[in-house]
Amino acid sequence: MTAFIILGLLLFFLILGIPIAFVMGGLGLGLLLIEGFNPIMIPQGLYSSIDNFILLAVPLFLLMSNILLKGGVGKDLFAAAQSWVGHWPGGLGVATILSCALFSAISGSSVATAATIGTVAIPEMTKRGYEKSFVLGLLAAGGTLGILIPPSIILIIYGVITEESIISLFTAGIGPGLFLAFMFSLYSVVYARYKGQLDVLPRASWKERWDASLRASPVLFLAMTIVLGIYFGVFTPTEAAGVGFVLALMITLGRRSISFALIKEASREAMQTTVTIFLIIAGAKIFSKAITLYRIPQDITALVTENFTQAGTFLVVVCIILLIMGLFIESLSMLLIMVPVLYPTLLNMGIDPIWFGIIFVIMVECALITPPVGLNLFIVQAVGNATLWEVSAGVWPFILIMLGTVVVLYFFPALALYLPYNF
């Protein structure tokens, strides 16, 4: 009963429009004080929640992606992908997804991915006859690859909460991330064949492909350096973020596509986002301490194990809850609210936390593009100068593809677990 009261209060304050960091922190603090918890311990808990070397990767990845965004690298990525697949039916859609996947391997951010590629892809696709809602939905969905394909800020925070290996989580995200990119691309081809009236680009010559790929090669080198460096243990995720930032700065300065004013703007935006994320993490730390004191995770574990003896049934219930929460709560808050509650249950039911982490992130991806609070919807709406209705109308096929991917992961867990446990 206590769990439902606390959850009800949480949702009530969120509906009132109070920022999630202050809702979780304030509610958690109130619950702790009611139980006689020493308030002197609160500042220590806040400090310890963000005093983590791994979390240093968050502002560095954000800064790197903002530098690349301001430096206009999305144009080169899209041009390179377009030169190889633009002549296919739906080739511009495939090029968009390929560009999103490549930028995801750099940024770790869905927002940066959607914004960077959207500024280039949306005008080009609409000019070629693609329905605007499809284009906007494709960009919103493609942007979500930024939190699945490593490096991923969401997976970093999941790893910090659960104390699971960040590198294992990163490698586990590669297979599902590429599978999702393939399914999005396949849908683009099927969509184009069904519509039939879309303009198809002429096949690029080998020289054009070479030139376009050469212009994009510094960014591709950056992506490979980060992914392979982490994968082979050359550097930690935090060190990879630092290396990536330096390389991003070198690339954009070498291209003369960024100025001091743009660097300053990118730094300010990265700082603002970092402060928001860390405030939410700190608030979630207090809330997590409170619900642990009230034994809510233990009570939920007992409730689940008594009523759901099969892992499959448990996962279905969790996915339904996450879908509902995604309609009202943004992705990071979902992660910080639900994972501390669910993690003991996972261990008790013998569910692999690395595998579950990938499923959780895919469900968070759905939350990023489900109205009314899907963050990617607002980013694409702003970039595409569209209405929220136009963006929302285009995302539903991609949400179904994401849910289908969760089903595939359930029956074929090796899609996520093969790399982390065999290399």
Side-chain angles (χ1 to χ4, degrees), residues 153-380:
I153 291 173
I154 290 289
L155 283 176
I156 290 172
I157 296 172
Y158 178 90
V160 170
I161 295 171
T162 61
E163 298 183 355
E164 297 292 336
S165 165
I166 304 294
I167 294 176
S168 294
L169 287 165
F170 277 5
T171 51
I174 294 174
L178 294 177
F179 179 79
L180 258 183
F182 170 76
M183 293 304 296
F184 289 165
S185 300
L186 181 62
Y187 176 72
S188 298
V189 173
V190 172
Y191 170 87
R193 287 191 177 277
Y194 173 74
K195 289 293 182 180
Q197 80 278 14
L198 305 177
D199 289 344
V200 176
L201 296 178
R203 183 190 295 268
S205 67
W206 285 104
K207 183 180 185 307
E208 290 171 331
R209 290 175 178 176
W210 171 254
D211 290 343
S213 300
L214 191 62
R215 285 194 298 272
S217 60
V219 184
L220 298 176
F221 172 76
L222 171 56
M224 295 299 291
T225 300
I226 291 174
V227 174
L228 295 180
I230 293 173
Y231 185 73
F232 289 107
V234 178
F235 32 64
T236 66
T238 302
E239 293 166 345
V243 170
F245 163 66
V246 173
L247 289 176
L249 202 56
M250 291 172 61
I251 289 169
T252 50
L253 288 173
R255 288 161 39 105
R256 297 183 179 179
S257 60
I258 198 165
S259 63
F260 177 76
L262 289 176
I263 294 174
K264 183 179 178 181
E265 185 179 338
S267 302
R268 185 179 66 252
E269 291 176 2
M271 180 182 66
Q272 289 172 340
T273 306
T274 300
V275 169
T276 301
I277 291 173
F278 279 20
L279 276 175
I280 294 174
I281 292 173
K285 180 73 173 180
I286 299 174
F287 186 72
S288 176
K289 183 78 174 178
I291 64 174
T292 302
L293 185 65
Y294 280 75
R295 296 188 55 82
I296 290 175
Q298 295 87 334
D299 292 343
I300 290 177
T301 298
L303 178 67
V304 169
T305 52
E306 289 173 5
N307 294 277
F308 305 107
T309 56
Q310 299 295 323
T313 309
F314 167 72
L315 288 171
V316 169
V317 173
V318 169
C319 287
I320 291 172
I321 292 172
L322 291 176
L323 274 177
I324 295 171
M325 289 183 67
L327 298 175
F328 308 102
I329 303 175
E330 51 86 26
S331 55
L332 181 59
S333 302
M334 286 173 57
L335 176 75
L336 292 167
I337 290 171
M338 294 298 294
V339 170
V341 175
L342 294 174
Y343 188 66
T345 307
L346 300 179
L347 300 180
N348 189 67
M349 299 189 74
I351 297 173
D352 190 300
I354 300 292
W355 175 72
F356 178 80
I358 302 304
I359 289 181
F360 195 100
V361 167
I362 295 175
M363 296 307 300
V364 168
E365 285 183 318
C366 291
L368 283 169
I369 57 174
T370 50
V373 297
L375 186 57
N376 274 25
L377 299 181
F378 298 109
I379 297 299
V380 173

Side-chain angles (χ1 to χ4, degrees), residues 46-130:
L46 287 175
Y47 179 76
S48 65
S49 66
I50 56 177
D51 182 26
N52 191 313
F53 179 69
I54 290 293
L55 286 178
L56 186 59
V58 174
L60 288 173
F61 275 128
L62 287 171
L63 184 56
M64 177 183 63
S65 62
N66 278 346
I67 291 290
L68 293 171
L69 173 61
K70 303 297 181 185
V73 302
K75 184 177 180 180
D76 287 343
L77 278 178
F78 186 76
Q82 182 178 281
S83 69
W84 288 96
V85 300
H87 60 281
W88 295 0
L92 286 180
V94 177
T96 298
I97 294 300
L98 287 177
S99 302
C100 287
L102 289 170
F103 194 80
S104 296
I106 304 170
S107 69
S109 166
S110 63
V111 171
T113 301
T116 302
I117 307 304
T119 53
V120 183
I122 291 175
E124 185 67 20
M125 293 185 70
T126 51
K127 182 176 70 176
R128 296 286 176 176
Y130 286 80

